[in-house]
Amino acid sequence: MAETRWLDEEEQRTWRSFLIASRLLFDRLERDLKEESDLSFTYYEILTRLSEAPGRSMRMANLAAACVFDRSRLSHAVDRLVRDGWVRRVPSPSDARGQLAELTDEGMEQVRQAAPRHAEQVRALMFDRLTREQQEALREISEALATGMVDVRKLTTMGWPSQ
């Protein structure tokens, strides 16, 4: 059996800093979205992905991959968004077994109302605190971490920026 490779002091500091910063960032964004728009971060992400998709619709499997959700979690979230009238499920025209999630006009209005404040919060909490060089380093680090955890081909279905 291989010996455990424990984190050294610097690695431990880096890991804990990353963990704390990412939790604080996402907790704050979640709280702000709920207060300002009565949306969870999960619902906002789904609505936003659909708003950016051609025809404001995506196959459920592709939407799950784009949001990095398992299909069950996505299905439950979409059910809630359907009940709210912001999304509808429609049969896939190209695959009888597939379903599309389609953003309604009401859902698009939710995105339009929430997006400016959310973008401002992301800018204030993250980008305004980093130099351009730090932003580039963070992007490179994030890409290295993500490509080490998922097949690179799958990243494009997640909306990974292409070079």
Side-chain angles (χ1 to χ4, degrees), residues 57-116:
S57 72
M58 291 178 77
R59 289 183 56 83
M60 290 287 286
N62 292 349
L63 183 56
C67 296
V68 194
F69 297 160
D70 63 50
R71 290 183 187 195
S72 176
R73 179 179 181 200
L74 177 72
S75 185
H76 288 295
V78 167
D79 286 346
R80 163 74 196 283
L81 295 170
V82 166
R83 281 194 304 273
D84 290 341
W86 299 337
V87 172
R88 69 179 141 258
R89 289 178 185 252
V90 295
S92 171
S94 63
D95 176 7
R97 296 182 314 161
Q99 269 196 335
L100 302 175
E102 185 177 273
L103 188 65
T104 65
D105 291 341
E106 294 83 4
M108 190 65 198
E109 186 56 32
Q110 279 298 120
V111 173
R112 283 189 185 113
Q113 288 178 16

Side-chain angles (χ1 to χ4, degrees), residues 37-151:
S37 306
D38 199 29
L39 282 172
S40 70
F41 193 85
T42 296
Y43 297 155
Y44 178 78
E45 183 173 9
I46 293 168
L47 295 175
T48 300
R49 294 285 184 168
L50 291 173
S51 76
E52 296 168 347
R56 296 191 326 204
S57 72
M58 291 178 77
R59 289 183 56 83
M60 290 287 286
N62 292 349
L63 183 56
C67 296
V68 194
F69 297 160
D70 63 50
R71 290 183 187 195
S72 176
R73 179 179 181 200
L74 177 72
S75 185
H76 288 295
V78 167
D79 286 346
R80 163 74 196 283
L81 295 170
V82 166
R83 281 194 304 273
D84 290 341
W86 299 337
V87 172
R88 69 179 141 258
R89 289 178 185 252
V90 295
S92 171
S94 63
D95 176 7
R97 296 182 314 161
Q99 269 196 335
L100 302 175
E102 185 177 273
L103 188 65
T104 65
D105 291 341
E106 294 83 4
M108 190 65 198
E109 186 56 32
Q110 279 298 120
V111 173
R112 283 189 185 113
Q113 288 178 16
R117 171 77 174 145
H118 179 68
E120 192 56 46
Q121 282 299 93
V122 169
R123 176 166 301 290
L125 295 172
M126 188 167 143
F127 291 101
D128 289 349
R129 297 167 188 241
L130 302 174
T131 65
R132 282 287 180 189
E133 293 79 20
Q134 289 171 322
Q135 291 173 31
E136 185 177 319
L138 178 59
R139 184 180 61 252
E140 289 172 1
I141 291 165
S142 298
E143 289 171 357
L145 291 172
T147 57
M149 290 184 261
V150 70
D151 184 335

Side-chain angles (χ1 to χ4, degrees), residues 6-24:
W6 298 106
L7 302 180
D8 66 30
E9 192 174 322
E10 275 303 304
E11 290 168 332
Q12 190 68 263
R13 285 184 59 222
T14 300
W15 167 243
R16 292 219 170 116
S17 294
F18 169 78
L19 192 60
I20 290 167
S22 59
R23 282 183 177 163
L24 288 171

Side-chain angles (χ1 to χ4, degrees), residues 21-39:
S22 59
R23 282 183 177 163
L24 288 171
L25 176 65
F26 286 107
D27 286 350
R28 177 73 177 274
L29 292 172
E30 175 85 23
R31 187 174 60 248
D32 289 346
L33 275 168
K34 282 205 182 260
E35 285 175 9
E36 296 291 324
S37 306
D38 199 29
L39 282 172

